[in-house]
Amino acid sequence: MKISHIEHIGIAVKSLEAAIPYYENILGLKCYNVEEVADQKVKTAFFQVGQTKIELLESTDPEGAVAKFIDKKGEGVHHIAYAVADGVNSALSEVAAKGVQLIDRQGRKGAEGLTIGFLHPKSTQSVLTELCEK
Ligand code: CMX
């Protein structure tokens, strides 16, 4: 697998409305997109920082992955997403063959039209890891 860059850093927040002003008014970033990803039970807000984005994640469902994460660990960094140059499906097969536990066996649709696939934190040094491609 060839990773080209960190595509985004996902940050779990209780409320986008409460969190966005910090990124805009203190860090001077601009929220350029707010999008609901029904499949992932989240509403997302994006900020561009060089080649990488910050993705704020607010849960839309108390049983969703982000709501459960906040219940257990509180707000904060939720996952790191790497852009793979040679396709998510082949990257997922490659790491599975090396014994990594997958959350997604195949790429699925994520925010901003990306194809995404998650690796389980039990296999990734406790950091929830996402692979994605445009
Ligand atoms: N980072 C690191 N570890 C995490 C984690 C995270 N984000 N979320 C859960 N874990 C850990 C838990 O602490 C737990 O560890 P322990 O067993 O040591 O306590 C372990 O993973 C299993 O957690 P769990 O609570 O039993 O299982 P969950 O039902 O919460 O599922 C996970 C965890 C990662 C499989 C699930 O959150 C998932 O499938 N995530 C991928 C999808 C996702 O996160 N979508 C939201 C973002 C979508 C987007 O970016 O668009």
Side-chain angles (χ1 to χ4, degrees):
M1 142 169 68
K2 194 156 184 288
I3 288 174
S4 58
H5 61 284
I6 293 179
E7 211 283 333
H8 65 266
I9 298 171
I11 298 176
V13 299
K14 288 181 182 162
S15 153
L16 291 184
E17 197 188 348
I20 286 171
Y22 164 71
Y23 291 87
E24 293 201 319
N25 302 336
I26 307 297
L27 298 186
L29 302 171
K30 176 95 190 90
C31 175
Y32 70 87
N33 184 24
V34 173
E35 182 182 343
E36 183 164 343
V37 186
D39 187 38
Q40 297 285 335
K41 303 187 169 94
V42 288
K43 202 158 85 174
T44 60
F46 285 94
F47 305 82
Q48 194 76 46
V49 188
Q51 223 182 339
T52 301
K53 300 166 200 160
I54 297 293
E55 177 190 40
L56 302 184
L57 299 156
E58 176 190 309
S59 184
T60 55
D61 181 330
E63 292 305 313
V66 168
K68 284 168 83 177
F69 175 86
I70 290 178
D71 283 349
K72 209 164 177 179
K73 303 194 189 208
E75 294 178 294
V77 174
H78 179 262
H79 66 268
I80 307 279
Y82 297 95
V84 291
D86 38 5
V88 165
N89 285 333
S90 76
L92 290 172
S93 307
E94 183 186 322
V95 299
K98 291 179 176 168
V100 170
Q101 188 184 335
L102 303 180
I103 292 172
D104 299 307
R105 301 203 148 275
Q106 286 211 313
R108 52 176 158 155
K109 276 275 165 262
E112 304 222 295
L114 297 178
T115 302
I116 64 168
F118 280 94
L119 315 184
H120 199 284
K122 289 287 177 207
S123 288
T124 59
Q125 308 295 311
S126 301
V127 177
L128 177 60
T129 299
E130 179 182 345
L131 303 177
C132 51
E133 69 178 301
K134 268 214 167 123

